[in-house]
């Protein structure tokens, strides 16, 4: 049997899904009552009254709840999940607003009714009176702090944090050249096709709660819900159904709905379901990406960075349940594959009266990459050097691995790159895009009146973040292998990838391996799916668990066959003597033999009963250090994250008249170590690239000055269709294994999106000769930059981008 | 989100539909394709008392060419108009514009008449109607009337159709003469989105083969489609020109677009100018082809 | 949810649809969206709702053979029609349809939420254009959003599906036909 590691195995998930037999959250619980919410229409306001009078007689109504109805634990703010010493002014929302609302969409009241239509009708009849307060919208307003989001948070500052290695100020002061840049990225969001959803069933008889939720962390939700409802962990099961995409937004927990729905289910003695609709998702889930950065870089004549100082401001929205992960990731991952002699990064995380901000694929890396790569291009321009040459001069060399960047990463551990070969990546990228062949192409295009440009961007991504994941592998008496791991799936093909690993370790056909993820009934200790960690964490855990299973199976079989375990191997589910494939017994039989029985439930089991013979009467049937069954449980907990890397390169064409941007070529060179399933990895890259393009050219959450999200629909929030993504994504791979896990793999989930804004900004700048410092960039934005340049033709002008790129648009909102 | 409750009737004849629309003290709306109305109702921005579903009125699902007009009944889907060879031959601009209307699944259900009554200034068809100076036939329990294009669009999302009235048909004049051509150009953020700016153009040749004249209608530049006569800017020019600077300047000077979330006013003006030239070139190219044929 | 529960004053309408070849009936209020009727009254949950404003296409079904957004249709308005949902695409003997099979072979889905809308759309599209070139394939899927796949493998699936249709019809894929057929990733 050839190894499945590295094989393009068709996904086991697919047959069911293409038949329409998926079971996503809203597909479940047909008998459940439906929840709907009254949400704040104001960005910042005091609630002066809630009048339920007209709503109380609404048809099909089961209950209405406001903050005043909540028991003590639920009446408190929701947990601050990731505390940090620098997060001195952390604020989280109440499950239902308590006297004040801080963003449009914040939940004020929950209605439970016979179905969603009726629940919305009842919600419409609830009259909430508000006293609007000044809304703080956008980073400029947050920084100016003329008004405060939270009265007890001065300067709107949730946190200020600094990390430094070396003496940056001195290094910059002593540097032959210094450049300053202002760079910004605007808000976007994960925007999976399926919104959030929760279904709860409370069983009064057994005093147990079963909760289904469209989440990225079943164990996180379980712990939080148990705590909030005053239940023991063992009273709560959390099951992750099929999930229609997450991309980060579903890692936050518990959402208000995740605690309110089970609470209501228990009170009402009926199952209750909440299915978020698209309008709600825009204003009641989470956004990401808005940051402003100021860079000061000191460099030498060769373009080597002597000192890099980055000061940035992060818009964390109205609350920070997820702590400072995004700005911490920016702070650390900004360094990419480079080794500036001195580096200082300082950020303020600021409140605004907008939707809260939690990680979205990339989680701060796209910002960091944009800042670093635009800085590299600026250095190259200042020195009139090739942009790849400047980068190469700053690379960490392979011989310097492992490389300690002297900072603390998002896992609370030192930022030490384990492996990577950046020069090899660059060579492949230059070759794939045809970097050296481009200048004559550009000239030829110019002769035809066309504008084309080329850009590239490098990134390093910390993946396989801890603290741990675990797995359980068990062989049933049928021979089927059941695998469970606690983290969750949202379409990444985990069930297939993990089955490949187990099938390989155990020597069984992949069709006999079934993997379950995200079900606390099957596996109760886990962290979750984020930070490109599944292959590293659960991949390693299932591998270690499978090895335990294999060892036990061989031991049991060896006893039965009266040979040494070292003489045995497993092929297609048969344990046999090496070189004699017909001599063996099936794994199913081994499972039977491993469990001494009093009662035979079928003929095969009869072989293990007490009178069947073969056991030593002087020894107990189960040895003191042994267990019945063929199963293994293992955990993988790495000392640090492992660092994947890559380079994207693109060629764009800009229309001289309409300023539209077309992507002519898009190349990805990518290193996530060995690939378990190349087809799945490529799919992840494709999806990430599409989100990178979306974030670079199309997607922007547009808030007006009053904190209204004016494009809260798919009509005006521009996720790409097929027509907006590159026609082809050319991919090449490099593999530098990781020494930090048994598989040598690194994470792959976010790689496609990280350099999107950086590479497209670089290519557009190359085509236009205009500095691109703010993304996303629409044709209108580009046109306005052209106009600005015509009026102020100073080359390399580092002025802040004009009005078109401001957090909210110049001129009125759509008067349409 | 889900719509509020409403009354619903599905008449089997136009007369029944008109009677339902005439009900006193009832806010009644016509449901044809529903591609604009249903999402508005789902989001609870619209909540009529009564929906009059005209989808059973198959007598209004025609696309015909007669008396120099392409006649499209109220229940004819965009897809049907697009597929009509007769309509395409008689008035090529229809197909050129319809290709930009949303996506096939929307065009399979949305109706051309409905799109006009919706009167979105960012829509393709209102501009086409305005350019061609078509008419919309409207019926009510008390009679019928024809509304010319120049009176049809009252403002953004507001047509001249009154409560109690049913738009039964739209008439687009066929392309006039052998020496005429049409062009349509649009820039949208994503393929299939409403236009950031768009232009529909008719142009024709003089007997000497040079440009005789041209007319343009613009989408997304104001509360309703704006029609400009380009003749003074293009007449007498070479019919195979690629650039039409005078026409572009005319568009820049006369149009007053606004800024919004997707584009600045200045950029829209730029697009209007550029797209005028592109659509003119296309129209004149077509005209030269038909003359040559 | 049973339409009769708790609906004081809301008139219910009788509905008769042919769904995937079988006659189905329901009693629904006028405001019941066809998407909700299919999913909750008829319990065919393979059709998914991504936006409820007609943009994402996840809810696309075939109405009398033509792709339409079921979230933009009132169930009552579809009375009497023949609709096909994703559950109706497989062959009578249970084998995956060519389009379904192609998606599996080409890794054309990840989370699967948008997939039903693509499958119905492409099924109709290939009926109209059996051998699409690259442009036509893009046009065919141009109105459906996917957040996971970046569309590359969905396009490959369109071409592979066209191939499978030809294979199953007994004719060999014609390498000289000139149609640009992207090489699918293929099974292990």
């Amino acid at each position: 049997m050839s190894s499945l590691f590295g094989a393009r195995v068709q996904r086991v998930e697919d047959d069911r899904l293409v038949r329409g037999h998926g079971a996503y959250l809203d597909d479940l619980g047909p008998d459940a009552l439906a929840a709907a919410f009254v949400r704040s229409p104001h960005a910042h306001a005091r609630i002066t009254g809630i009048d339920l009078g007209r709503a109380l007689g609404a048809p099909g109504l089961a209950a209405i709840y406001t903050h005043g109805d909540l028991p003590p634990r639920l009446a408190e703010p929701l947990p601050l999940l990731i505390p940090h010493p620098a997060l001195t002014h952390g604020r989280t929302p109440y499950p239902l607003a308590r006297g004040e609302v801080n963003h449009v969409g914040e939940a004020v009241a929950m209605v439970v009714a016979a179905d969603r239509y009726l629940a919305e009708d009842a919600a419409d009849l609830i009259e909430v009176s508000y006293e609007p307060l000044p809304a703080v919208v956008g980073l400029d307003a947050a920084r100016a702090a003329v008004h405060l989001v939270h009265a007890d948070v001065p300067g709107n500052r949730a946190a200020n944090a600094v990390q430094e290695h070396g003496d940056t100020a001195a290094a910059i002061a002593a540097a032959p050249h210094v450049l300053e840049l202002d760079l910004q990225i605007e808000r976007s969001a994960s925007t999976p096709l399926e919104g959030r959803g929760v279904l709860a069933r409370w069983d009064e008889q057994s005093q147990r709660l079963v909760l289904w939720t469209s989440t990225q962390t079943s164990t996180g939700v379980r712990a939080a819900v148990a705590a909030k409802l005053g239940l023991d962990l063992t009273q709560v099961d959390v099951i992750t159904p099929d999930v229609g995409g997450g991309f980060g937004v579903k890692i936050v927990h518990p959402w208000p709905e995740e605690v309110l729905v089970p609470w209501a289910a228990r009170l009402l003695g009926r199952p209750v379901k909440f299915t978020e609709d698209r309008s709600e998702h825009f204003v009641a889930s989470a956004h990401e990406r808005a940051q402003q950065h100021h860079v000061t870089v000191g460099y030498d004549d060769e373009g080597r960075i002597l000192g890099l100082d980055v000061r940035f401001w992060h818009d964390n929205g109205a609350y920070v349940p997820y702590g400072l992960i995004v700005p911490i990731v920016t702070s650390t991952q900004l360094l990419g594959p480079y080794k500036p002699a001195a580096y200082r990064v300082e950020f303020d995380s600021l409140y605004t009266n907008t939707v809260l901000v939690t990680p979205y694929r990339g989680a701060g890396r796209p910002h960091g990459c944009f800042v670093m790569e635009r800085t590299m291009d600026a250095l190259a321009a200042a020195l009139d050097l090739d942009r790849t040459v400047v980068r190469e001069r700053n690379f960490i060399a392979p011989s310097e691995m492992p490389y300690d960047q002297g900072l603390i990463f998002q896992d609370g551990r030192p930022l030490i790159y384990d492996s990577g070969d950046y020069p090899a990546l660059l060579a492949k990228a230059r070759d794939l895009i045809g970097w050296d062949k481009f200048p004559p192409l550009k000239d030829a295009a110019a002769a035809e009146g066309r504008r084309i440009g080329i850009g590239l961007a490098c990134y390093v991504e910390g993946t396989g973040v801890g603290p741990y994941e675990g797995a359980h592998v068990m062989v049933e008496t049928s021979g089927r292998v059941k695998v469970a791991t606690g983290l969750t799936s949202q379409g990444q093909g985990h069930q297939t990838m993990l089955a490949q690993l187990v099938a390989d370790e155990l020597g069984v056909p992949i069709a006999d391996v079934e993997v379950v993820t995200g079900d606390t009934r099957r596996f109760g200790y886990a962290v979750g799916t984020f930070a490109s960690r599944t292959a590293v964490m659960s991949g390693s855990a299932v591998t270690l668990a499978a090895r335990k299973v294999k060892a036990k199976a061989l031991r049991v079989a060896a006893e039965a066959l009266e040979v040494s375990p070292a003489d045995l191997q497993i092929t297609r589910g048969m344990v046999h003597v090496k070189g004699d494939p017909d001599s063996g017994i099936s794994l199913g039989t081994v499972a039977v033999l491993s469990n001494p029985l009093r009662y035979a439930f079928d003929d095969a089991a009869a072989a293990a009963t007490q009178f069947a013979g073969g056991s030593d009467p002087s020894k107990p049937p189960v040895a003191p250090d042994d267990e019945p069954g063929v199963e293994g449980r293992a955990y993988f907990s790495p000392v640090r994250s492992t660092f994947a890397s890559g380079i994207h390169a693109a060629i764009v064409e800009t229309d001289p008249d309409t300023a539209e941007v077309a992507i002519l070529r898009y190349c990805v060179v990518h290193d996530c170590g060995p690939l378990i399933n190349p087809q799945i990895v490529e799919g992840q890259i494709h999806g990430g690239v599409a989100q990178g393009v979306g974030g670079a050219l199309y997607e922007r959450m547009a808030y007006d000055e009053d904190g209204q999200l004016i494009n809260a629909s798919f009509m005006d929030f521009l996720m790409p269709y097929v027509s907006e993504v590159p026609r082809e994504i050319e991919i090449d791979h490099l593999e530098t294994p990781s020494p930090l896990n048994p598989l040598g793999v690194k994470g792959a989930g976010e790689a496609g999106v990280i350099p999107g804004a950086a590479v497209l900004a670089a290519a557009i700048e190359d085509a236009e000769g205009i500095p691109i410092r703010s993304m996303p960039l629409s044709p209108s934005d580009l046109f306005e930059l052209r106009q600005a340049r015509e009026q102020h033709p100073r080359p390399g002008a580092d002025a802040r981008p004009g009005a078109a790129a401001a957090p909210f648009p110049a001129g009125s909102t759509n008067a349409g | 989100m889900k719509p509020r409750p409403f009354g619903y009737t599905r008449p089997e004849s136009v007369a029944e539909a008109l009677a339902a629309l005439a009900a006193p003290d009832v806010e009644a709306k016509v449901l044809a394709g529903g591609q604009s109305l249903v999402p508005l109702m789902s989001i609870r921005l619209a909540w009529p008392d009564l929906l009059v579903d005209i989808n059973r009125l198959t007598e209004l699902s025609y696309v015909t060419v007669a008396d120099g007009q392409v006649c499209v009944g109220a229940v004819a889907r965009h897809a049907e108009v697009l597929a009509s060879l007769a309509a395409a031959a008689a008035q090529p601009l229809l197909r050129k514009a319809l290709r930009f209307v949303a996506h096939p699944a929307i065009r399979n259900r949305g109706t051309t008449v409905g799109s006009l009554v919706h009167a979105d200034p960012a829509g393709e068809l209102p501009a086409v109607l305005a350019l061609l100076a078509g008419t919309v036939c409207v019926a009510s329990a008390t009679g019928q009337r024809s509304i010319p294009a120049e009176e049809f669009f009252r403002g953004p999302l507001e047509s001249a159709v009154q409560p109690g009235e049913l738009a039964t048909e739209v008439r687009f004049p066929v392309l006039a003469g052998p020496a005429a051509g049409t062009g349509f150009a649009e820039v949208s953020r994503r393929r299939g989105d409403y236009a950031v700016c768009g232009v529909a153009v008719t142009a024709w040749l003089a007997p000497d083969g040079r440009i005789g004249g041209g007319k343009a209608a613009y989408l997304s530049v104001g509360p309703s489609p704006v029609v400009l006569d380009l003749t003074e800017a293009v007449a007498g020019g070479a019919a195979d020109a690629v650039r039409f600077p005078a026409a572009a300047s005319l568009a820049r000077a006369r149009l007053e677009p606004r800024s919004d979330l997707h584009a600045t006013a200045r950029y829209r003006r730029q697009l209007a100018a550029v797209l005028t030239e592109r659509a003119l070139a296309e129209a004149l190219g077509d005209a030269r082809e038909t003359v040559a044929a | 949810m049973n339409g009769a529960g708790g609906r004081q004053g809301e008139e219910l309408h009788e509905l008769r649809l042919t769904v995937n070849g079988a006659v189905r009936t329901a009693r629904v209020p006028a405001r019941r969206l066809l998407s909700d009727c299919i999913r909750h009254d008829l319990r065919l949950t393979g059709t998914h709702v991504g936006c409820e404003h007609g943009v994402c296409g996840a809810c696309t079904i075939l109405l009398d053979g033509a792709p339409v957004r079921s979230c933009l249709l009132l169930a009552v308005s579809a009375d009497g029609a023949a609709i096909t949902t994703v559950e109706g695409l497989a062959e009578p003997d249970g084998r995956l349809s060519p389009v379904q099979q192609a998606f599996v072979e080409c890794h054309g889905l990840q989370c699967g939420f948008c997939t039903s809308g693509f499958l119905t759309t492409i099924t109709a599209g290939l009926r109209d254009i059996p051998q699409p070139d690259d442009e036509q394939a893009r046009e065919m899927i141009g109105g459906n959003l996917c957040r996971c796949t970046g569309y590359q493998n969905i396009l490959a699936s369109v071409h592979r599906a066209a191939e499978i249709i030809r294979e199953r019809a007994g004719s060999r894929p014609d390498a000289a036909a000139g149609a640009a057929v992207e090489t699918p990733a293929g099974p292990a």
Side-chain angles (χ1 to χ4, degrees), chain C residues 98-136:
Chain C
V99 181
Q100 290 168 317
Q101 179 66 29
F103 266 69
V104 176
E105 288 180 20
C106 298
H107 189 30
L109 66 150
Q110 291 182 27
C111 81
F113 199 76
C114 71
T115 306
S116 320
F118 276 99
L119 293 175
T120 51
T121 299
I122 296 168
T123 299
L126 287 176
R127 208 189 41 219
D128 296 340
I129 306 177
Q131 290 199 157
D133 61 24
D134 205 47
E135 265 327 297
Q136 288 167 321

Side-chain angles (χ1 to χ4, degrees), chain C residues 111-188:
Chain C
C111 81
F113 199 76
C114 71
T115 306
S116 320
F118 276 99
L119 293 175
T120 51
T121 299
I122 296 168
T123 299
L126 287 176
R127 208 189 41 219
D128 296 340
I129 306 177
Q131 290 199 157
D133 61 24
D134 205 47
E135 265 327 297
Q136 288 167 321
R138 281 168 193 283
E139 182 81 28
M140 204 182 283
I141 66 162
N144 290 55
L145 284 174
C146 173
R147 196 56 162 168
C148 295
T149 67
Y151 305 102
Q152 311 293 309
N153 288 347
I154 295 179
L155 280 170
S157 302
V158 173
H159 294 300
R160 177 66 188 134
E163 234 177 28
I164 295 173
I165 291 172
R166 290 195 293 278
E167 284 168 10
R168 291 192 189 179
S171 57
R172 296 194 151 283
D174 185 349
V181 176
E182 296 184 57
T183 310

Side-chain angles (χ1 to χ4, degrees), chain B residues 20-82:
Chain B
L21 287 168
D25 301 323
V26 163
E27 194 209 328
K29 274 198 93 66
V30 172
L31 175 68
Q35 306 299 279
S36 304
L37 180 60
V38 173
L40 281 178
M41 293 177 66
S42 287
I43 230 170
R44 302 196 172 201
L45 284 179
W47 55 95
D49 298 322
L50 175 69
L51 268 197
V52 180
D53 182 340
I54 65 168
N55 286 287
R56 283 285 168 84
L57 303 182
T58 49
E59 71 250 50
L60 294 181
S61 66
Y62 54 86
V63 181
T64 57
V65 181
D67 298 329
Q69 307 280 331
V70 176
C71 305
V72 177
V75 182
R77 315 288 172 189
H78 292 310
E80 289 161 340
V81 180
L82 254 176

Side-chain angles (χ1 to χ4, degrees), chain A residues 329 333 362-370 409-410 460-462 531 750 754:
Chain A
V329 170
Q333 300 265 254
R365 273 169 283 256
H367 319 62
C369 178
F370 182 70
F409 189 41
Q410 64 146 326
V460 165
E461 182 195 355
E750 291 163 275
I754 293 168

Side-chain angles (χ1 to χ4, degrees), chain A residues 270-286:
Chain A
R270 295 276 309 276
V272 178
K273 179 166 70 171
F274 166 70
T275 301
E276 178 180 61
D277 66 34
R278 184 52 52 185
S279 311
E280 278 179 300
H281 190 79
F282 272 103
V283 296
S285 62

Side-chain angles (χ1 to χ4, degrees), chain A residues 337 396-403 417-425 460 642-645 671 734-739 746:
Chain A
I396 298 162
S399 57
E400 294 177 279
M401 295 293 184
Y403 189 83
Y417 295 178
D418 53 333
S419 65
D421 188 342
Y422 311 131
L425 273 180
V460 165
T642 172
F643 289 83
S645 55
D671 176 5
L734 184 70
E735 293 182 19
T736 62
S738 169
K746 302 177 178 178

Side-chain angles (χ1 to χ4, degrees), chain A residues 11 45 82 85 111 113 139 173 209 222 252 264 280 318 326 359 401 524 588 633 646 711 749 763 802:
Chain A
R11 295 193 342 159
I82 309 178
V111 174
L139 278 166
L209 172 69
R222 183 191 192 205
V252 178
E280 278 179 300
V326 173
M401 295 293 184
R633 182 180 296 266
N711 63 338

